[in-house]
Amino acid sequence: MLREKPELIETTEAMEPLGATAKNFQLATSKIECDVLKSSLENPCAGALVCFEGVVRNHNEGKVVLSLEYEAYESLARLEASKIFAEAVKQYSILSAICVHRTGLLQIGETAVFVGVTSAHRDAAFHACRYIIDEIKMRLPIWKKETYEDGISEWVNCQHTGQQHLKDPHLKNHHLKDQHENSSGEKKQK
Amino acid sequence: MPVNVTVRYFAILKEECGQASEQVRTNATDLASLFAELSAKHHFSLGQDQLRVAVNDSFVDWLEAVDEGAQVVFIPPVAGG
């Protein structure tokens, strides 16, 4: 399960023009260093930096979650992420954006996903950050297995038949629809 | 005319069939038929209507033909973030 190390984000490569490459997206097998990622976004032209962290929460649908595990289909995840970045650039006036998603076993409180966006003015960064995290949740081939206090483990969204259309990436307006959050909390930094 | 493809499995499908990938020689004419064939073999709990399918790292339609040498991945409902 070795992936590229998150340290790569420290390089200026993470600041390459968006949409051209998939370098703005990384999968990490170890702790996401949010401060390092935030520093990598520093840019004198940026008047706004919006960061989002999805954090492992201790409950989901009334069950106590002890830990969870993410698995990714890396090559397709990278391609899909680069499309999402290109879409964000097209829609919003942003300077840069990065995303790092964890794989492997995570404990409560750990950061599962980090998204950081810079722009000259705050509106674009807020909107683009929201767009990127929403699309990543909907479209990237990444799966989550939760382990509960009763010892049972389940792949999220794969157990209850009949609800899967709610997650269909082809359906639009999911910003309104996607209220069925699972065990990632939210933390916004400024 | 049978073709040889590589099928990769992730998440719940990987657990249910007990392997991350397999080489398959098949007469299936499209990807839907290929999934039906493999589902009968591995008894997957998810139906085709709950999955998407990717060939050579691109999402494609279930009615696409199965080409020699293709890498096929059935995508369970995702849950990233």
Side-chain angles (χ1 to χ4, degrees), chain A residues 3-136:
Chain A
R3 313 253 185 236
E4 287 186 52
K5 291 178 182 169
E7 294 91 276
L8 284 176
I9 292 296
E10 291 182 62
T11 71
T12 53
E13 288 183 347
M15 300 294 291
E16 281 195 356
L18 288 168
T21 71
K23 286 176 183 167
N24 306 77
F25 176 77
Q26 301 279 334
L27 288 168
T29 53
S30 55
K31 185 175 185 271
I32 296 177
E33 300 291 348
C34 297
D35 289 342
V36 173
L37 294 173
K38 214 174 125 181
S39 302
S40 79
L41 287 162
E42 284 173 7
N43 179 339
C45 298
L49 163 62
V50 172
C51 298
F52 170 84
E53 284 177 59
V55 179
V56 180
R57 193 177 59 215
N58 67 359
H59 62 281
N60 188 24
E61 295 185 341
K63 288 187 271 195
V64 175
V65 176
L66 296 184
S67 65
L68 56 79
E69 184 183 345
Y70 285 101
E71 185 176 331
Y73 170 12
E74 183 162 0
S75 46
L76 183 55
R78 287 179 176 284
L79 289 169
E80 200 65 16
S82 80
K83 285 182 193 168
I84 292 168
F85 283 125
E87 291 160 11
V89 166
K90 203 172 171 187
Q91 293 174 66
Y92 308 104
S93 290
I94 57 174
L95 294 168
S96 60
I98 54 174
C99 175
V100 179
H101 201 298
R102 273 293 305 271
T103 58
L105 193 65
L106 280 79
Q107 304 300 324
I108 306 303
E110 281 195 80
T111 298
V113 59
F114 174 95
V115 179
V117 181
T118 59
S119 60
H121 304 285
R122 67 183 181 280
D123 268 1
F126 271 122
H127 287 127
C129 186
R130 179 68 197 245
Y131 180 80
I132 290 167
I133 184 61
D134 285 354
E135 296 298 313
I136 275 170

Side-chain angles (χ1 to χ4, degrees), chain A residues 170-185:
Chain A
H170 284 147
L171 292 179
K172 292 302 172 189
N173 301 320
H174 52 264
H175 293 248
L176 301 174
K177 172 173 57 62
D178 187 24
Q179 301 304 318
H180 183 72
E181 290 282 331
N182 39 45
S183 63
S184 285

Side-chain angles (χ1 to χ4, degrees), chain A residues 70-73 75-76 79-80 101 113 137-138 140-145 155-159 161 164 169-170 184, chain B residues 8-12 14-15 45-46 49-50 52 54-59 71 73-81:
Chain A
Y70 285 101
E71 185 176 331
Y73 170 12
S75 46
L76 183 55
L79 289 169
E80 200 65 16
H101 201 298
V113 59
K137 286 175 74 95
M138 295 287 291
L140 261 51
I142 296 176
W143 300 277
K144 170 162 52 184
K145 186 181 192 181
W155 289 98
V156 173
N157 295 339
C158 292
Q159 311 295 330
T161 57
Q164 306 312 323
H170 284 147
S184 285
Chain B
R8 289 178 71 191
Y9 298 107
F10 289 94
I12 192 168
K14 184 168 81 178
E15 284 188 356
S45 62
L46 298 174
D49 60 339
Q50 294 169 275
R52 298 179 73 195
V55 172
N56 301 335
D57 293 342
S58 292
F59 288 112
Q71 179 192 261
V73 183
F74 302 115
I75 314 278
V78 302

Side-chain angles (χ1 to χ4, degrees), chain A residues 138-156:
Chain A
M138 295 287 291
R139 290 162 56 181
L140 261 51
I142 296 176
W143 300 277
K144 170 162 52 184
K145 186 181 192 181
E146 293 180 333
T147 298
Y148 308 107
E149 63 175 349
D150 57 9
I152 291 173
S153 295
E154 282 186 355
W155 289 98
V156 173

Side-chain angles (χ1 to χ4, degrees), chain B:
Chain B
M1 183 88 175
V3 293
N4 300 290
V5 296
T6 303
V7 182
R8 289 178 71 191
Y9 298 107
F10 289 94
I12 192 168
L13 298 181
K14 184 168 81 178
E15 284 188 356
E16 287 176 350
C17 75
Q19 57 195 351
S21 72
E22 66 177 323
Q23 304 297 318
V24 178
R25 187 169 174 80
T26 180
N27 286 304
T29 51
D30 58 29
L31 293 161
S33 310
L34 175 64
F35 178 73
E37 184 183 312
L38 293 170
S39 190
K41 178 178 165 188
H42 296 300
H43 308 291
F44 292 130
S45 62
L46 298 174
Q48 186 202 312
D49 60 339
Q50 294 169 275
L51 304 170
R52 298 179 73 195
V53 61
V55 172
N56 301 335
D57 293 342
S58 292
F59 288 112
V60 294
D61 193 274
W62 285 102
L63 297 179
E64 293 245 338
V66 183
D67 294 328
E68 176 68 30
Q71 179 192 261
V72 180
V73 183
F74 302 115
I75 314 278
V78 302

